[in-house]
Each structure stands twice: as C-alpha cells, then as structure tokens.
Amino acid sequence: MKNVAVFASGTGTNAINLYETFSKGDRIRVPLLLVDRENAPVIAKFRDLGVETLYFPRQVWRKEPEKIVEELKKRHIDLIALAGFLSIVGKPILEAYPERVLNIHPSLLPAFGGEGMWGQNVHEAVIKAGVDRSGATVHYVTEDVDRGPILLQEEIDIEPGETAESLEAKVHQAEYRLFPRAVVEAFRRLDDKENRKEPERKPEASVPAPESSAATAGSGQGTDTSWEQYFNSPEGREQTEPQTQADGSGSGDGRENNPYYGDRAKKTEAQAVAVNGEPMPPTYLVWSILCVLLCCFIPGLVAAYFSSRVSTKYYQGDIEGSKKASRMAEIWIIVSFVLGVLAATLYLPFMILSGMAQ
Ligand code: GRF
C-alpha cells in the first residue's frame, strides 16, 4: 500500500476527491492531511472522514520544514499531493521526497503560472487573455513556483460568453479526473525507475502486492501488473484516459521522447508566449541543419541536438534550461561554421601543395 499525504489550504474538493478515489482501490491510500491555515474548511471534512489532520503554522513551513519531514517520515508517507496549497514547500521537504511532490494547477502550464497565479486569479487572467483553451496541469514541484516538469495535463475548451466562475467549475471537473490519474502515473514512473535500477532483486511475478514503498522496489509488481490493475477498475481508466495526455508524439523536434510533454499543451504555445511574456529562445534549427549539410557535419549535429532541446525544455517550463540550450546551439553553429570554412579554404592550398610534392 502506498501512502499519499495531501497538503491543502482551502475548501479541499481536490483533496477529498483524492481520498475518495483511492478509498475505492487497495493500492494507494490517503492517511494524512496537512494544512497551513488553522481554520481551512478542508480540516472539518477530513476529520469527518476520520483522516488524521496536522496543522503547521506558516512560520513552521517557512523556517522549520524539517519538523514536517519528520512527521511525514514517521507516517511512512510515499508521496505528497498539493491540492490548493498556498505555502511554499521548502527545500528540505523536496529533498526528502525527490520526484514525489506533485501540485495541481488550474491552467495549461506554462501558461498562466507563477507568482500571483492561483485560484480565481488564474481564471480571470485566462478569460482576459481571450484564449480559446484552458485546463489543468499536474506537475512535479521544484523550488521555482509552477515551473516543475509537467506530469499530466487535461485541456478544456472555452465557450463564447465563458466567465471566470464557469471556467473554474469546468476546470475543477477536469482536475477531479486528472489528479488521481497523475498520482498513479507518478508511482508508476517511480516503480519503473526502481525496477530499472535493481533488476537483480526482481523475484517472480506472483509475489503479492507490497505493503510499503521499500518492499515495492524489488517486488516484481512492475508498471504493467500493479498499476494497470488500478486503471482497469470500472471507475478508473474508462473515465479518465481519453481526455488526458502524458506523452507527446511525432512532433519531430525532440518532444516525442519527452514524457512530460502533453500533445494538446503544444498547441498552447502562442498562449504561453502571450501570457508569461517569456518568448521561446531562438532554436536555430535552420542554421543547425545548414551547418550539418554545408559546413562541418559533427559540430552541426551537436548544434541540431541543442536546438531540439530548446523547445523541449521550454515546454517543460524550464525556461533557464531552454535559454542554455539555445546558447549552446549558437556556439556549436559557430564552431561548425568556422571548421567548415577552414576545411573549405585549406582544401585548395593543401591539394596544390600535395600535387607539388609528387
Ligand atoms: C484548484 O483549482 C487547484 O488547481 C489549485 O487550487 C484549487 C483548489 O481547489 N491549486 P479545491 O480546494 O481543491 O477545491
């Protein structure tokens, strides 16, 4: 059994939805709620359900997050789900739970994310921007707000006359489908990673489901056996899968191998640019191809590789990484060009000299 702790600050409809969804299965459960507001409405709801609730004042979240890690570890928490949680999750928590802290955001990140973009603000900004699509994103939490790698997204259409309120209601429905599925997907990836790391510890497939994450590592219950069982339950896969996206495909610019990149999210490029004011750095793709064809082949290929990383990183929300890739592409184009010119200009004198030597 995997243990998920939910962190919330407000009404907590997503938190309740996670609790209820996983109570129906026997692989994942939500035994703990953590809040940063003493009177958050979600507390009473979880108490009614008989779920343990811990309150830590904002001061503790800011200055002593180690205390929180201690409580989580004591309760054998495997993964953290932020469901409308407004405090910053400090480095010690992120370090104690690498690739195990997820957040749900009510837009198609990287569009409409970052400082001040929470709750109703997001939907108002979406309506104001006049875009025709919005949705929900579950991403890994990093120190940069709303910039962690995207795990899953679900898109919804914005109808004419849509208001921030009606949009919020639609996005909430998408979130209820998306978040449980993203939690399962995160566990599936962790299982995959563990199984790749320690294949020699893999016993026969008939070993029963593990009771803790430590046991899971060598249980032989890989992605296909353990998590698919959950998906195949009547209320699981059927309801959520057709509208959610995890893996991009066939874009031809390197994104197809990027598990964090949603197909439909690609279409929101223009929206992301308009809203975040962060245009994609130049990819130099044409120059890279010219260098491969006309100048020096190997440095040209290296330039093309970095060129493809520009958009991949950008759509993961890693703007810094994208800028770095763009700079690298630029440098390798110059290297390729210089080597190409040198080779071309030296060719003639070299041939003349070698002809004279004969
Ligand atoms: C959700 O829209 C979520 O995306 C955002 O905060 C909202 C929380 O809503 N992070 P609820 O408290 O789960 O109803």
Side-chain angles (χ1 to χ4, degrees), residues 11-14 84 104-106 172 175:
T11 47
T13 62
N14 274 287
I104 187 153
H105 185 83
H172 255 120
E175 290 182 333

PDB file of all heavy atoms in Angstrom, residues 11-14 84 104-106 172 175, ligand 1:
ATOM      1  N   THR A  11     -10.831  24.956   0.542  1.00  0.00           N
ATOM      2  CA  THR A  11     -12.015  24.096   0.654  1.00  0.00           C
ATOM      3  C   THR A  11     -11.658  22.622   0.450  1.00  0.00           C
ATOM      4  O   THR A  11     -12.320  21.750   0.988  1.00  0.00           O
ATOM      5  CB  THR A  11     -13.084  24.493  -0.386  1.00  0.00           C
ATOM      6  OG1 THR A  11     -12.404  24.633  -1.638  1.00  0.00           O
ATOM      7  CG2 THR A  11     -13.758  25.789  -0.029  1.00  0.00           C
ATOM      8  N   GLY A  12     -10.679  22.363  -0.369  1.00  0.00           N
ATOM      9  CA  GLY A  12     -10.144  20.996  -0.471  1.00  0.00           C
ATOM     10  C   GLY A  12     -11.003  20.008  -1.247  1.00  0.00           C
ATOM     11  O   GLY A  12     -10.993  18.815  -0.938  1.00  0.00           O
ATOM     12  N   THR A  13     -11.697  20.471  -2.273  1.00  0.00           N
ATOM     13  CA  THR A  13     -12.501  19.491  -3.029  1.00  0.00           C
ATOM     14  C   THR A  13     -11.586  18.494  -3.756  1.00  0.00           C
ATOM     15  O   THR A  13     -11.926  17.321  -3.872  1.00  0.00           O
ATOM     16  CB  THR A  13     -13.445  20.180  -4.037  1.00  0.00           C
ATOM     17  OG1 THR A  13     -12.675  20.900  -4.983  1.00  0.00           O
ATOM     18  CG2 THR A  13     -14.421  21.101  -3.344  1.00  0.00           C
ATOM     19  N   ASN A  14     -10.437  18.950  -4.204  1.00  0.00           N
ATOM     20  CA  ASN A  14      -9.495  18.008  -4.830  1.00  0.00           C
ATOM     21  C   ASN A  14      -8.940  17.028  -3.804  1.00  0.00           C
ATOM     22  O   ASN A  14      -8.737  15.851  -4.105  1.00  0.00           O
ATOM     23  CB  ASN A  14      -8.330  18.774  -5.475  1.00  0.00           C
ATOM     24  CG  ASN A  14      -8.656  19.210  -6.879  1.00  0.00           C
ATOM     25  OD1 ASN A  14      -8.702  18.396  -7.792  1.00  0.00           O
ATOM     26  ND2 ASN A  14      -8.913  20.499  -7.042  1.00  0.00           N
ATOM     27  N   GLY A  84      -4.404  22.703  -3.844  1.00  0.00           N
ATOM     28  CA  GLY A  84      -4.822  24.033  -3.397  1.00  0.00           C
ATOM     29  C   GLY A  84      -4.073  24.416  -2.141  1.00  0.00           C
ATOM     30  O   GLY A  84      -4.666  24.838  -1.147  1.00  0.00           O
ATOM     31  N   ILE A 104      -1.266  20.442  -8.272  1.00  0.00           N
ATOM     32  CA  ILE A 104      -2.234  20.639  -9.352  1.00  0.00           C
ATOM     33  C   ILE A 104      -2.453  22.129  -9.538  1.00  0.00           C
ATOM     34  O   ILE A 104      -2.571  22.876  -8.580  1.00  0.00           O
ATOM     35  CB  ILE A 104      -3.559  19.887  -9.092  1.00  0.00           C
ATOM     36  CG1 ILE A 104      -4.461  19.993 -10.332  1.00  0.00           C
ATOM     37  CG2 ILE A 104      -4.287  20.383  -7.843  1.00  0.00           C
ATOM     38  CD1 ILE A 104      -5.421  18.851 -10.496  1.00  0.00           C
ATOM     39  N   HIS A 105      -2.463  22.533 -10.822  1.00  0.00           N
ATOM     40  CA  HIS A 105      -2.608  23.953 -11.152  1.00  0.00           C
ATOM     41  C   HIS A 105      -3.752  24.113 -12.158  1.00  0.00           C
ATOM     42  O   HIS A 105      -3.839  23.346 -13.115  1.00  0.00           O
ATOM     43  CB  HIS A 105      -1.288  24.477 -11.747  1.00  0.00           C
ATOM     44  CG  HIS A 105      -1.322  25.945 -11.996  1.00  0.00           C
ATOM     45  ND1 HIS A 105      -1.066  26.867 -11.012  1.00  0.00           N
ATOM     46  CD2 HIS A 105      -1.612  26.648 -13.114  1.00  0.00           C
ATOM     47  CE1 HIS A 105      -1.197  28.078 -11.518  1.00  0.00           C
ATOM     48  NE2 HIS A 105      -1.529  27.982 -12.793  1.00  0.00           N
ATOM     49  N   PRO A 106      -4.598  25.133 -11.962  1.00  0.00           N
ATOM     50  CA  PRO A 106      -5.801  25.218 -12.809  1.00  0.00           C
ATOM     51  C   PRO A 106      -5.603  25.918 -14.150  1.00  0.00           C
ATOM     52  O   PRO A 106      -6.415  26.748 -14.541  1.00  0.00           O
ATOM     53  CB  PRO A 106      -6.767  25.990 -11.911  1.00  0.00           C
ATOM     54  CG  PRO A 106      -5.899  26.865 -11.098  1.00  0.00           C
ATOM     55  CD  PRO A 106      -4.595  26.139 -10.899  1.00  0.00           C
ATOM     56  N   HIS A 172     -12.358  22.543 -12.498  1.00  0.00           N
ATOM     57  CA  HIS A 172     -12.434  21.661 -11.322  1.00  0.00           C
ATOM     58  C   HIS A 172     -12.814  20.233 -11.726  1.00  0.00           C
ATOM     59  O   HIS A 172     -12.242  19.275 -11.238  1.00  0.00           O
ATOM     60  CB  HIS A 172     -13.467  22.203 -10.327  1.00  0.00           C
ATOM     61  CG  HIS A 172     -12.822  22.848  -9.135  1.00  0.00           C
ATOM     62  ND1 HIS A 172     -13.007  24.160  -8.796  1.00  0.00           N
ATOM     63  CD2 HIS A 172     -11.978  22.344  -8.210  1.00  0.00           C
ATOM     64  CE1 HIS A 172     -12.300  24.442  -7.709  1.00  0.00           C
ATOM     65  NE2 HIS A 172     -11.663  23.358  -7.332  1.00  0.00           N
ATOM     66  N   GLU A 175      -9.928  18.593 -13.097  1.00  0.00           N
ATOM     67  CA  GLU A 175      -8.958  18.277 -12.035  1.00  0.00           C
ATOM     68  C   GLU A 175      -9.323  16.985 -11.306  1.00  0.00           C
ATOM     69  O   GLU A 175      -8.449  16.196 -10.956  1.00  0.00           O
ATOM     70  CB  GLU A 175      -8.885  19.426 -11.029  1.00  0.00           C
ATOM     71  CG  GLU A 175      -8.233  20.661 -11.602  1.00  0.00           C
ATOM     72  CD  GLU A 175      -8.111  21.799 -10.603  1.00  0.00           C
ATOM     73  OE1 GLU A 175      -8.941  21.866  -9.666  1.00  0.00           O
ATOM     74  OE2 GLU A 175      -7.216  22.620 -10.765  1.00  0.00           O
TER      75      GLU A 175
HETATM   76  C1  GRF B   1      -7.627  24.022  -7.619  1.00  0.00           C
HETATM   77  O1  GRF B   1      -8.198  24.668  -8.704  1.00  0.00           O
HETATM   78  C2  GRF B   1      -6.182  23.740  -7.843  1.00  0.00           C
HETATM   79  O2  GRF B   1      -5.836  23.621  -9.182  1.00  0.00           O
HETATM   80  C3  GRF B   1      -5.496  24.946  -7.273  1.00  0.00           C
HETATM   81  O3  GRF B   1      -6.283  25.329  -6.179  1.00  0.00           O
HETATM   82  C4  GRF B   1      -7.615  24.906  -6.388  1.00  0.00           C
HETATM   83  C5  GRF B   1      -8.039  24.180  -5.151  1.00  0.00           C
HETATM   84  O4  GRF B   1      -9.381  23.891  -5.183  1.00  0.00           O
HETATM   85  N1  GRF B   1      -4.135  24.665  -6.937  1.00  0.00           N
HETATM   86  P1  GRF B   1     -10.011  22.914  -4.111  1.00  0.00           P
HETATM   87  O5  GRF B   1      -9.671  23.487  -2.738  1.00  0.00           O
HETATM   88  O6  GRF B   1      -9.425  21.573  -4.300  1.00  0.00           O
HETATM   89  O7  GRF B   1     -11.467  22.951  -4.383  1.00  0.00           O
END
